[in-house]
mmCIF file of all heavy atoms in Angstrom:
data_model
loop_
_atom_site.group_PDB
_atom_site.id
_atom_site.type_symbol
_atom_site.label_atom_id
_atom_site.label_comp_id
_atom_site.label_asym_id
_atom_site.label_seq_id
_atom_site.Cartn_x
_atom_site.Cartn_y
_atom_site.Cartn_z
ATOM 1 N N LYS T 844 -83.521 30.707 -39.398
ATOM 2 C CA LYS T 844 -82.917 29.413 -39.722
ATOM 3 C C LYS T 844 -82.076 28.934 -38.466
ATOM 4 O O LYS T 844 -81.795 27.806 -38.255
ATOM 5 C CB LYS T 844 -82.074 29.397 -40.948
ATOM 6 C CG LYS T 844 -82.896 29.585 -42.250
ATOM 7 C CD LYS T 844 -84.035 28.542 -42.345
ATOM 8 C CE LYS T 844 -84.909 28.707 -43.408
ATOM 9 N NZ LYS T 844 -85.975 27.713 -43.502
ATOM 10 N N ILE T 845 -81.605 29.954 -37.712
ATOM 11 C CA ILE T 845 -80.984 29.655 -36.370
ATOM 12 C C ILE T 845 -81.587 30.676 -35.419
ATOM 13 O O ILE T 845 -82.115 31.718 -35.798
ATOM 14 C CB ILE T 845 -79.475 29.816 -36.414
ATOM 15 C CG1 ILE T 845 -79.015 31.239 -36.828
ATOM 16 C CG2 ILE T 845 -78.822 28.796 -37.293
ATOM 17 C CD1 ILE T 845 -77.500 31.519 -36.741
ATOM 18 N N SER T 846 -81.569 30.344 -34.172
ATOM 19 C CA SER T 846 -82.103 31.250 -33.179
ATOM 20 C C SER T 846 -81.054 32.355 -32.810
ATOM 21 O O SER T 846 -79.883 32.208 -33.205
ATOM 22 C CB SER T 846 -82.504 30.479 -31.928
ATOM 23 O OG SER T 846 -81.285 29.972 -31.268
ATOM 24 N N GLN T 847 -81.580 33.416 -32.193
ATOM 25 C CA GLN T 847 -80.609 34.414 -31.844
ATOM 26 C C GLN T 847 -79.629 33.907 -30.760
ATOM 27 O O GLN T 847 -78.415 34.348 -30.779
ATOM 28 C CB GLN T 847 -81.413 35.606 -31.140
ATOM 29 C CG GLN T 847 -82.376 36.258 -32.127
ATOM 30 C CD GLN T 847 -82.211 37.774 -32.169
ATOM 31 O OE1 GLN T 847 -81.650 38.387 -31.164
ATOM 32 N NE2 GLN T 847 -82.703 38.412 -33.172
ATOM 33 N N ALA T 848 -80.028 32.917 -29.925
ATOM 34 C CA ALA T 848 -79.111 32.335 -29.001
ATOM 35 C C ALA T 848 -78.053 31.516 -29.700
ATOM 36 O O ALA T 848 -76.871 31.560 -29.338
ATOM 37 C CB ALA T 848 -79.889 31.452 -27.984
ATOM 38 N N GLN T 849 -78.439 30.803 -30.699
ATOM 39 C CA GLN T 849 -77.446 30.096 -31.561
ATOM 40 C C GLN T 849 -76.489 31.038 -32.222
ATOM 41 O O GLN T 849 -75.272 30.740 -32.337
ATOM 42 C CB GLN T 849 -78.169 29.203 -32.570
ATOM 43 C CG GLN T 849 -78.881 28.025 -31.985
ATOM 44 C CD GLN T 849 -79.661 27.273 -33.023
ATOM 45 O OE1 GLN T 849 -80.408 27.851 -33.839
ATOM 46 N NE2 GLN T 849 -79.495 25.915 -33.013
ATOM 47 N N GLU T 850 -76.984 32.123 -32.752
ATOM 48 C CA GLU T 850 -76.146 33.116 -33.357
ATOM 49 C C GLU T 850 -75.064 33.602 -32.411
ATOM 50 O O GLU T 850 -73.874 33.689 -32.769
ATOM 51 C CB GLU T 850 -76.990 34.328 -33.882
ATOM 52 C CG GLU T 850 -76.072 35.438 -34.492
ATOM 53 C CD GLU T 850 -76.944 36.664 -34.779
ATOM 54 O OE1 GLU T 850 -78.081 36.765 -34.420
ATOM 55 O OE2 GLU T 850 -76.270 37.674 -35.240
ATOM 56 N N GLN T 851 -75.498 33.935 -31.180
ATOM 57 C CA GLN T 851 -74.546 34.340 -30.159
ATOM 58 C C GLN T 851 -73.505 33.260 -29.848
ATOM 59 O O GLN T 851 -72.320 33.577 -29.573
ATOM 60 C CB GLN T 851 -75.268 34.753 -28.911
ATOM 61 C CG GLN T 851 -76.139 36.097 -29.092
ATOM 62 C CD GLN T 851 -75.309 37.253 -29.664
ATOM 63 O OE1 GLN T 851 -74.274 37.482 -29.177
ATOM 64 N NE2 GLN T 851 -75.904 37.819 -30.674
ATOM 65 N N GLN T 852 -73.977 31.964 -29.818
ATOM 66 C CA GLN T 852 -73.014 30.897 -29.571
ATOM 67 C C GLN T 852 -71.984 30.832 -30.652
ATOM 68 O O GLN T 852 -70.780 30.667 -30.416
ATOM 69 C CB GLN T 852 -73.803 29.594 -29.484
ATOM 70 C CG GLN T 852 -74.577 29.419 -28.236
ATOM 71 C CD GLN T 852 -75.358 28.113 -28.257
ATOM 72 O OE1 GLN T 852 -75.351 27.329 -29.247
ATOM 73 N NE2 GLN T 852 -76.088 27.864 -27.174
ATOM 74 N N TYR T 853 -72.386 30.988 -31.897
ATOM 75 C CA TYR T 853 -71.404 30.959 -33.016
ATOM 76 C C TYR T 853 -70.446 32.143 -32.920
ATOM 77 O O TYR T 853 -69.223 31.937 -33.214
ATOM 78 C CB TYR T 853 -72.165 30.986 -34.382
ATOM 79 C CG TYR T 853 -72.915 29.686 -34.679
ATOM 80 C CD1 TYR T 853 -74.269 29.720 -35.022
ATOM 81 C CD2 TYR T 853 -72.232 28.450 -34.583
ATOM 82 C CE1 TYR T 853 -74.950 28.613 -35.344
ATOM 83 C CE2 TYR T 853 -72.961 27.272 -34.888
ATOM 84 C CZ TYR T 853 -74.342 27.345 -35.287
ATOM 85 O OH TYR T 853 -74.999 26.192 -35.500
ATOM 86 N N LEU T 854 -71.000 33.278 -32.608
ATOM 87 C CA LEU T 854 -70.107 34.469 -32.485
ATOM 88 C C LEU T 854 -69.150 34.320 -31.367
ATOM 89 O O LEU T 854 -67.960 34.693 -31.424
ATOM 90 C CB LEU T 854 -70.955 35.745 -32.323
ATOM 91 C CG LEU T 854 -71.767 36.133 -33.486
ATOM 92 C CD1 LEU T 854 -72.734 37.254 -33.126
ATOM 93 C CD2 LEU T 854 -70.961 36.578 -34.658
ATOM 94 N N ALA T 855 -69.600 33.769 -30.251
ATOM 95 C CA ALA T 855 -68.734 33.563 -29.048
ATOM 96 C C ALA T 855 -67.621 32.550 -29.374
ATOM 97 O O ALA T 855 -66.498 32.614 -28.866
ATOM 98 C CB ALA T 855 -69.591 33.044 -27.884
ATOM 99 N N ALA T 856 -68.004 31.599 -30.232
ATOM 100 C CA ALA T 856 -66.951 30.527 -30.545
ATOM 101 C C ALA T 856 -65.808 31.103 -31.407
ATOM 102 O O ALA T 856 -64.736 30.558 -31.447
ATOM 103 C CB ALA T 856 -67.636 29.364 -31.306
ATOM 104 N N GLY T 857 -66.048 32.241 -32.053
ATOM 105 C CA GLY T 857 -65.049 32.951 -32.836
ATOM 106 C C GLY T 857 -65.045 32.578 -34.298
ATOM 107 O O GLY T 857 -65.638 31.580 -34.732
ATOM 108 N N PHE T 858 -64.404 33.417 -34.987
ATOM 109 C CA PHE T 858 -64.289 33.289 -36.443
ATOM 110 C C PHE T 858 -63.523 31.990 -36.833
ATOM 111 O O PHE T 858 -62.429 31.756 -36.342
ATOM 112 C CB PHE T 858 -63.625 34.484 -37.085
ATOM 113 C CG PHE T 858 -63.343 34.423 -38.550
ATOM 114 C CD1 PHE T 858 -64.418 34.402 -39.427
ATOM 115 C CD2 PHE T 858 -62.083 34.374 -39.022
ATOM 116 C CE1 PHE T 858 -64.169 34.258 -40.814
ATOM 117 C CE2 PHE T 858 -61.796 34.259 -40.392
ATOM 118 C CZ PHE T 858 -62.903 34.317 -41.321
ATOM 119 N N PRO T 859 -64.082 31.176 -37.691
ATOM 120 C CA PRO T 859 -63.337 29.910 -38.015
ATOM 121 C C PRO T 859 -62.290 30.164 -39.062
ATOM 122 O O PRO T 859 -62.459 29.986 -40.330
ATOM 123 C CB PRO T 859 -64.491 29.073 -38.607
ATOM 124 C CG PRO T 859 -65.461 30.025 -39.212
ATOM 125 C CD PRO T 859 -65.428 31.254 -38.305
ATOM 126 N N THR T 860 -61.127 30.623 -38.615
ATOM 127 C CA THR T 860 -59.998 31.011 -39.503
ATOM 128 C C THR T 860 -59.676 29.719 -40.393
ATOM 129 O O THR T 860 -59.524 28.636 -39.945
ATOM 130 C CB THR T 860 -58.837 31.365 -38.701
ATOM 131 O OG1 THR T 860 -59.111 32.452 -37.832
ATOM 132 C CG2 THR T 860 -57.684 31.805 -39.623
ATOM 133 N N PRO T 861 -59.579 30.032 -41.734
ATOM 134 C CA PRO T 861 -59.233 28.893 -42.588
ATOM 135 C C PRO T 861 -57.879 28.325 -42.346
ATOM 136 O O PRO T 861 -56.986 29.003 -41.769
ATOM 137 C CB PRO T 861 -59.328 29.515 -44.012
ATOM 138 C CG PRO T 861 -59.694 30.958 -43.813
ATOM 139 C CD PRO T 861 -59.847 31.287 -42.434
ATOM 140 N N LYS T 862 -57.674 27.101 -42.806
ATOM 141 C CA LYS T 862 -56.353 26.446 -42.620
ATOM 142 C C LYS T 862 -55.311 27.172 -43.649
ATOM 143 O O LYS T 862 -55.773 27.791 -44.636
ATOM 144 C CB LYS T 862 -56.419 25.011 -43.056
ATOM 145 C CG LYS T 862 -57.420 24.200 -42.215
ATOM 146 C CD LYS T 862 -56.877 23.971 -40.814
ATOM 147 C CE LYS T 862 -57.793 23.034 -40.047
ATOM 148 N NZ LYS T 862 -57.339 22.792 -38.677
ATOM 149 N N PRO T 863 -54.077 27.097 -43.381
ATOM 150 C CA PRO T 863 -53.077 27.681 -44.303
ATOM 151 C C PRO T 863 -53.278 27.048 -45.704
ATOM 152 O O PRO T 863 -53.599 25.942 -45.855
ATOM 153 C CB PRO T 863 -51.770 27.307 -43.679
ATOM 154 C CG PRO T 863 -52.013 27.101 -42.227
ATOM 155 C CD PRO T 863 -53.474 26.520 -42.134
ATOM 156 N N TYR T 864 -53.061 27.943 -46.640
ATOM 157 C CA TYR T 864 -53.149 27.503 -48.041
ATOM 158 C C TYR T 864 -51.896 26.902 -48.587
ATOM 159 O O TYR T 864 -50.850 27.521 -48.595
ATOM 160 C CB TYR T 864 -53.594 28.744 -48.930
ATOM 161 C CG TYR T 864 -53.720 28.420 -50.378
ATOM 162 C CD1 TYR T 864 -54.303 27.271 -50.852
ATOM 163 C CD2 TYR T 864 -53.348 29.415 -51.367
ATOM 164 C CE1 TYR T 864 -54.499 27.057 -52.153
ATOM 165 C CE2 TYR T 864 -53.522 29.190 -52.707
ATOM 166 C CZ TYR T 864 -54.084 27.930 -53.112
ATOM 167 O OH TYR T 864 -54.283 27.780 -54.466
ATOM 168 N N THR T 865 -52.039 25.692 -49.031
ATOM 169 C CA THR T 865 -50.889 24.999 -49.643
ATOM 170 C C THR T 865 -51.278 24.672 -51.100
ATOM 171 O O THR T 865 -52.092 23.744 -51.355
ATOM 172 C CB THR T 865 -50.542 23.677 -48.920
ATOM 173 O OG1 THR T 865 -50.300 24.065 -47.558
ATOM 174 C CG2 THR T 865 -49.342 23.070 -49.566
ATOM 175 N N PRO T 866 -50.790 25.369 -52.100
ATOM 176 C CA PRO T 866 -51.155 25.091 -53.482
ATOM 177 C C PRO T 866 -50.726 23.636 -53.807
ATOM 178 O O PRO T 866 -49.787 23.087 -53.294
ATOM 179 C CB PRO T 866 -50.327 26.091 -54.308
ATOM 180 C CG PRO T 866 -49.982 27.178 -53.336
ATOM 181 C CD PRO T 866 -49.886 26.508 -51.996
ATOM 182 N N SER T 867 -51.512 23.044 -54.742
ATOM 183 C CA SER T 867 -51.258 21.682 -55.110
ATOM 184 C C SER T 867 -49.876 21.534 -55.711
ATOM 185 O O SER T 867 -49.484 22.335 -56.557
ATOM 186 C CB SER T 867 -52.319 21.209 -56.156
ATOM 187 O OG SER T 867 -51.949 19.952 -56.614
ATOM 188 N N GLY T 868 -49.162 20.524 -55.292
ATOM 189 C CA GLY T 868 -47.790 20.309 -55.774
ATOM 190 C C GLY T 868 -47.760 19.558 -57.068
ATOM 191 O O GLY T 868 -46.656 19.159 -57.549
ATOM 192 N N GLY T 869 -48.950 19.255 -57.648
ATOM 193 C CA GLY T 869 -48.952 18.403 -58.929
ATOM 194 C C GLY T 869 -48.505 17.052 -58.651
ATOM 195 O O GLY T 869 -48.781 16.395 -57.620
ATOM 196 N N MET T 870 -47.809 16.512 -59.628
ATOM 197 C CA MET T 870 -47.419 15.073 -59.600
ATOM 198 C C MET T 870 -45.867 14.926 -59.330
ATOM 199 O O MET T 870 -45.251 13.974 -59.775
ATOM 200 C CB MET T 870 -47.765 14.434 -60.903
ATOM 201 C CG MET T 870 -49.259 14.362 -61.138
ATOM 202 S SD MET T 870 -50.125 13.266 -59.964
ATOM 203 C CE MET T 870 -51.511 14.219 -59.651
ATOM 204 N N ALA T 871 -45.274 15.943 -58.743
ATOM 205 C CA ALA T 871 -43.849 15.862 -58.432
ATOM 206 C C ALA T 871 -43.568 14.883 -57.354
ATOM 207 O O ALA T 871 -44.394 14.417 -56.645
ATOM 208 C CB ALA T 871 -43.339 17.258 -58.023
ATOM 209 N N GLY T 872 -42.233 14.502 -57.289
ATOM 210 C CA GLY T 872 -41.786 13.573 -56.240
ATOM 211 C C GLY T 872 -42.484 12.207 -56.404
ATOM 212 O O GLY T 872 -42.582 11.676 -57.516
ATOM 213 N N GLN T 873 -42.821 11.658 -55.267
ATOM 214 C CA GLN T 873 -43.510 10.316 -55.330
ATOM 215 C C GLN T 873 -44.958 10.344 -55.681
ATOM 216 O O GLN T 873 -45.548 9.338 -55.989
ATOM 217 C CB GLN T 873 -43.298 9.603 -53.979
ATOM 218 C CG GLN T 873 -41.892 9.373 -53.641
ATOM 219 C CD GLN T 873 -41.115 8.643 -54.718
ATOM 220 O OE1 GLN T 873 -41.454 7.554 -55.117
ATOM 221 N NE2 GLN T 873 -40.112 9.273 -55.196
ATOM 222 N N THR T 874 -45.557 11.610 -55.744
ATOM 223 C CA THR T 874 -46.980 11.686 -55.945
ATOM 224 C C THR T 874 -47.372 11.025 -57.256
ATOM 225 O O THR T 874 -48.411 10.314 -57.269
ATOM 226 C CB THR T 874 -47.362 13.164 -55.950
ATOM 227 O OG1 THR T 874 -46.996 13.803 -54.734
ATOM 228 C CG2 THR T 874 -48.879 13.322 -56.118
ATOM 229 N N GLY T 875 -46.662 11.262 -58.345
ATOM 230 C CA GLY T 875 -47.025 10.686 -59.641
ATOM 231 C C GLY T 875 -47.090 9.203 -59.571
ATOM 232 O O GLY T 875 -48.076 8.586 -60.111
ATOM 233 N N TYR T 876 -46.139 8.557 -58.959
ATOM 234 C CA TYR T 876 -46.115 7.147 -58.901
ATOM 235 C C TYR T 876 -47.278 6.609 -57.988
ATOM 236 O O TYR T 876 -47.889 5.559 -58.374
ATOM 237 C CB TYR T 876 -44.790 6.628 -58.247
ATOM 238 C CG TYR T 876 -43.624 7.139 -59.002
ATOM 239 C CD1 TYR T 876 -42.610 7.877 -58.308
ATOM 240 C CD2 TYR T 876 -43.392 6.978 -60.356
ATOM 241 C CE1 TYR T 876 -41.467 8.385 -58.965
ATOM 242 C CE2 TYR T 876 -42.277 7.530 -61.018
ATOM 243 C CZ TYR T 876 -41.322 8.161 -60.312
ATOM 244 O OH TYR T 876 -40.229 8.730 -60.996
ATOM 245 N N LEU T 877 -47.578 7.264 -56.969
ATOM 246 C CA LEU T 877 -48.648 6.900 -56.043
ATOM 247 C C LEU T 877 -49.994 6.952 -56.790
ATOM 248 O O LEU T 877 -50.786 6.033 -56.736
ATOM 249 C CB LEU T 877 -48.727 7.708 -54.807
ATOM 250 C CG LEU T 877 -47.453 7.639 -53.900
ATOM 251 C CD1 LEU T 877 -47.606 8.717 -52.757
ATOM 252 C CD2 LEU T 877 -47.246 6.280 -53.319
ATOM 253 N N VAL T 878 -50.217 8.076 -57.442
ATOM 254 C CA VAL T 878 -51.448 8.300 -58.207
ATOM 255 C C VAL T 878 -51.587 7.243 -59.277
ATOM 256 O O VAL T 878 -52.659 6.652 -59.522
ATOM 257 C CB VAL T 878 -51.509 9.719 -58.699
ATOM 258 C CG1 VAL T 878 -52.704 9.873 -59.767
ATOM 259 C CG2 VAL T 878 -51.777 10.743 -57.600
ATOM 260 N N ASP T 879 -50.493 7.003 -60.017
ATOM 261 C CA ASP T 879 -50.505 6.077 -61.169
ATOM 262 C C ASP T 879 -50.796 4.705 -60.715
ATOM 263 O O ASP T 879 -51.587 3.907 -61.248
ATOM 264 C CB ASP T 879 -49.149 6.145 -61.902
ATOM 265 C CG ASP T 879 -49.231 5.392 -63.247
ATOM 266 O OD1 ASP T 879 -50.150 5.656 -64.049
ATOM 267 O OD2 ASP T 879 -48.342 4.522 -63.510
ATOM 268 N N THR T 880 -50.194 4.279 -59.588
ATOM 269 C CA THR T 880 -50.420 2.964 -59.000
ATOM 270 C C THR T 880 -51.874 2.822 -58.586
ATOM 271 O O THR T 880 -52.547 1.780 -58.846
ATOM 272 C CB THR T 880 -49.547 2.706 -57.767
ATOM 273 O OG1 THR T 880 -48.165 2.796 -58.210
ATOM 274 C CG2 THR T 880 -49.792 1.370 -57.107
ATOM 275 N N ALA T 881 -52.474 3.838 -57.889
ATOM 276 C CA ALA T 881 -53.803 3.766 -57.542
ATOM 277 C C ALA T 881 -54.807 3.810 -58.717
ATOM 278 O O ALA T 881 -55.735 3.050 -58.727
ATOM 279 C CB ALA T 881 -54.121 4.991 -56.547
ATOM 280 N N GLN T 882 -54.465 4.525 -59.717
ATOM 281 C CA GLN T 882 -55.336 4.556 -60.924
ATOM 282 C C GLN T 882 -55.392 3.252 -61.573
ATOM 283 O O GLN T 882 -56.396 2.763 -62.026
ATOM 284 C CB GLN T 882 -54.858 5.740 -61.858
ATOM 285 C CG GLN T 882 -55.778 5.833 -63.116
ATOM 286 C CD GLN T 882 -55.413 7.022 -63.920
ATOM 287 O OE1 GLN T 882 -54.873 8.017 -63.441
ATOM 288 N NE2 GLN T 882 -55.655 6.912 -65.210
ATOM 289 N N LYS T 883 -54.211 2.613 -61.709
ATOM 290 C CA LYS T 883 -54.141 1.287 -62.336
ATOM 291 C C LYS T 883 -54.967 0.331 -61.552
ATOM 292 O O LYS T 883 -55.668 -0.578 -62.111
ATOM 293 C CB LYS T 883 -52.749 0.845 -62.475
ATOM 294 C CG LYS T 883 -51.966 1.629 -63.600
ATOM 295 C CD LYS T 883 -50.590 0.964 -63.818
ATOM 296 C CE LYS T 883 -49.699 1.052 -62.589
ATOM 297 N NZ LYS T 883 -48.368 0.426 -62.809
ATOM 298 N N TYR T 884 -54.892 0.412 -60.222
ATOM 299 C CA TYR T 884 -55.638 -0.514 -59.353
ATOM 300 C C TYR T 884 -57.149 -0.313 -59.524
ATOM 301 O O TYR T 884 -57.917 -1.245 -59.679
ATOM 302 C CB TYR T 884 -55.258 -0.299 -57.920
ATOM 303 C CG TYR T 884 -55.825 -1.343 -57.017
ATOM 304 C CD1 TYR T 884 -55.107 -2.539 -56.718
ATOM 305 C CD2 TYR T 884 -57.082 -1.147 -56.376
ATOM 306 C CE1 TYR T 884 -55.695 -3.485 -55.870
ATOM 307 C CE2 TYR T 884 -57.650 -2.136 -55.565
ATOM 308 C CZ TYR T 884 -56.937 -3.330 -55.361
ATOM 309 O OH TYR T 884 -57.499 -4.259 -54.538
ATOM 310 N N VAL T 885 -57.602 0.952 -59.651
ATOM 311 C CA VAL T 885 -58.968 1.295 -59.858
ATOM 312 C C VAL T 885 -59.435 0.661 -61.173
ATOM 313 O O VAL T 885 -60.539 -0.045 -61.308
ATOM 314 C CB VAL T 885 -59.268 2.737 -59.858
ATOM 315 C CG1 VAL T 885 -60.593 3.100 -60.328
ATOM 316 C CG2 VAL T 885 -59.068 3.302 -58.397
ATOM 317 N N GLU T 886 -58.695 0.841 -62.236
ATOM 318 C CA GLU T 886 -59.055 0.287 -63.556
ATOM 319 C C GLU T 886 -59.153 -1.275 -63.592
ATOM 320 O O GLU T 886 -60.006 -1.865 -64.190
ATOM 321 C CB GLU T 886 -58.129 0.795 -64.635
ATOM 322 C CG GLU T 886 -58.159 2.239 -64.845
ATOM 323 C CD GLU T 886 -57.163 2.742 -65.859
ATOM 324 O OE1 GLU T 886 -56.580 1.886 -66.620
ATOM 325 O OE2 GLU T 886 -56.815 3.936 -65.927
ATOM 326 N N ALA T 887 -58.210 -1.855 -62.811
ATOM 327 C CA ALA T 887 -58.179 -3.303 -62.800
ATOM 328 C C ALA T 887 -59.252 -3.921 -61.926
ATOM 329 O O ALA T 887 -59.651 -5.094 -62.119
ATOM 330 C CB ALA T 887 -56.760 -3.727 -62.283
ATOM 331 N N HIS T 888 -59.876 -3.140 -61.014
ATOM 332 C CA HIS T 888 -60.864 -3.683 -60.099
ATOM 333 C C HIS T 888 -62.245 -3.012 -60.255
ATOM 334 O O HIS T 888 -63.111 -3.133 -59.361
ATOM 335 C CB HIS T 888 -60.366 -3.532 -58.665
ATOM 336 C CG HIS T 888 -59.159 -4.390 -58.343
ATOM 337 N ND1 HIS T 888 -57.903 -4.055 -58.689
ATOM 338 C CD2 HIS T 888 -59.134 -5.639 -57.718
ATOM 339 C CE1 HIS T 888 -57.044 -4.993 -58.331
ATOM 340 N NE2 HIS T 888 -57.758 -5.917 -57.753
#
């Protein structure tokens, strides 16, 4: 599915380290108001 040359290119590029994990903050702070405003807009349109 890939050539051996492509495999070597991927290996040379290095391991794609994942981004830091940030658990979802839920609806705290302004998030709840932003989501609610957007949801109402979706329903209205």
Side-chain angles (χ1 to χ4, degrees):
K844 293 304 173 182
I845 61 175
S846 67
Q847 298 230 341
Q849 288 175 313
E850 178 190 1
Q851 293 306 313
Q852 288 177 355
Y853 291 128
L854 291 173
F858 175 65
T860 303
K862 303 285 186 182
Y864 179 36
T865 305
S867 174
M870 297 292 137
Q873 298 308 299
T874 303
Y876 306 123
L877 298 173
V878 167
D879 191 50
T880 299
Q882 181 173 333
K883 288 188 296 179
Y884 188 88
V885 169
E886 292 177 18
H888 292 81

